[in-house]
Amino acid sequence: MQQRTIGPFSVSAIGLGGMPMSIEGRPDRDRSVATIHAALDAGVTLIDTADSYHLHADEVGHNEELIAEALRSYGSPTDHVLVATKGGHLRPGDGTWTQDGRPEHLKQAARASARRLGVEAIGLYQFHRPDPTVPYADSVGALVELLDEGVIQQAGISNASVAQIDEAQQVLGGRLVSVQNQFSPAFRSSLAELRHCADLGLAFLPWSPLGGIARSSELGTRHDAFQQVADARGVSPQQVALAWELALAPVVIPIPGASRPASIVDSTHAVDLVLTDDELAALSIA
């Protein structure tokens, strides 16, 4: 598969988002493991997770443990797979999401994530979402300590503005490697952050790149231009969306969530879909 870079790591240009396998509507464990194995078979070497990807309050880290189990049972070496996880978001168990960006929480959460993933150092650890009650620099400062202590190998941020990207880069002393923001045909307000990452050489990881769990299957219906290109090319509109995102900048690495093997396999084919200038122009204004 086509490769792109996150810091020193070379990873597949399409990653796998693990969230749908652990929250509301999640499939059974066997299908989730089969989905992860199908992604690996297709050449995916980036898997994104978070300690908050769970359903009930007493199962923090459900998705991390699931991914670790799937990697152990794969049957072939997986040392080349980068598992990126996140901390700073919480799920109390009542369906809501909250934030905890206190440095002491992030440092404790990172160590717990490393234990669940079964690694000495997390390949990429990302501050999940800014906490309005904690100065941003304080939260990012926890990543500095985690890097210096060897708990994590690389640091990233998520749901960040251009100003926060610059602040994080300053606090980290130039060691920021990635930004994970929402971006899709339906949600383009992070285009400024995407372009800023391209200017800085930071990996940009679009989450919900197909419009979200509930709407990804309706992408072609909601965005006619993507369906038109898909029909002309004989591919899915989801492939067109991912190919469009890949074409925006060489730092873009979409991480579509999946809970079925067929879904992630279809997504990986986007790396082979080269859109024309006319197609890209039409999709950019759609």
Side-chain angles (χ1 to χ4, degrees), residues 188-265:
R188 306 187 190 201
S189 62
S190 286
L191 185 58
E193 287 78 19
L194 186 158
R195 289 172 173 164
H196 195 54
C197 286
D199 290 340
L200 297 176
L202 303 174
F204 183 85
L205 314 179
W207 62 265
S208 288
L210 302 177
I213 297 172
R215 295 188 174 186
S216 60
S217 63
E218 303 171 357
L219 192 150
T221 303
R222 292 175 177 272
H223 305 279
D224 187 58
F226 288 83
Q227 187 65 60
Q228 290 180 15
V229 173
D231 290 342
R233 293 298 199 98
V235 299
S236 70
Q238 289 78 16
Q239 281 186 42
V240 174
L242 295 172
W244 167 68
E245 290 165 18
L246 288 169
L248 291 174
V251 300
V252 176
I253 307 173
I255 45 172
S259 60
R260 295 185 300 114
S263 297
I264 188 57
V265 171

Side-chain angles (χ1 to χ4, degrees), residues 77-244:
T78 57
D79 295 345
H80 61 298
V81 177
L82 175 62
V83 178
T85 192
K86 301 181 287 295
H89 229 347
L90 305 174
R91 296 208 78 192
D94 59 1
T96 63
W97 296 78
T98 61
Q99 290 85 42
D100 189 344
R102 293 172 301 140
E104 56 269 30
H105 169 76
L106 292 172
K107 288 184 286 186
Q108 181 182 34
R111 292 184 174 89
S113 289
R115 289 194 296 271
R116 286 188 290 266
L117 291 171
V119 297
E120 292 185 5
I122 297 169
L124 173 61
Y125 192 71
Q126 305 155 98
F127 177 37
H128 202 156
R129 185 178 289 275
D131 182 343
T133 69
V134 179
Y136 195 67
D138 289 357
S139 297
V140 177
L143 302 184
V144 175
E145 294 185 43
L146 291 167
L147 282 168
D148 291 344
E149 294 171 10
V151 179
I152 67 175
Q153 294 177 276
Q154 301 294 325
I157 55 176
S158 183
N159 300 298
S161 67
V162 168
Q164 288 168 333
I165 293 170
D166 289 339
E167 184 175 4
Q169 185 68 299
Q170 182 179 15
V171 172
L172 284 160
R175 291 186 287 176
L176 180 68
V177 300
S178 66
V179 176
Q180 183 180 144
N181 278 15
Q182 184 176 9
F183 186 84
S184 70
F187 190 94
R188 306 187 190 201
S189 62
S190 286
L191 185 58
E193 287 78 19
L194 186 158
R195 289 172 173 164
H196 195 54
C197 286
D199 290 340
L200 297 176
L202 303 174
F204 183 85
L205 314 179
W207 62 265
S208 288
L210 302 177
I213 297 172
R215 295 188 174 186
S216 60
S217 63
E218 303 171 357
L219 192 150
T221 303
R222 292 175 177 272
H223 305 279
D224 187 58
F226 288 83
Q227 187 65 60
Q228 290 180 15
V229 173
D231 290 342
R233 293 298 199 98
V235 299
S236 70
Q238 289 78 16
Q239 281 186 42
V240 174
L242 295 172
W244 167 68

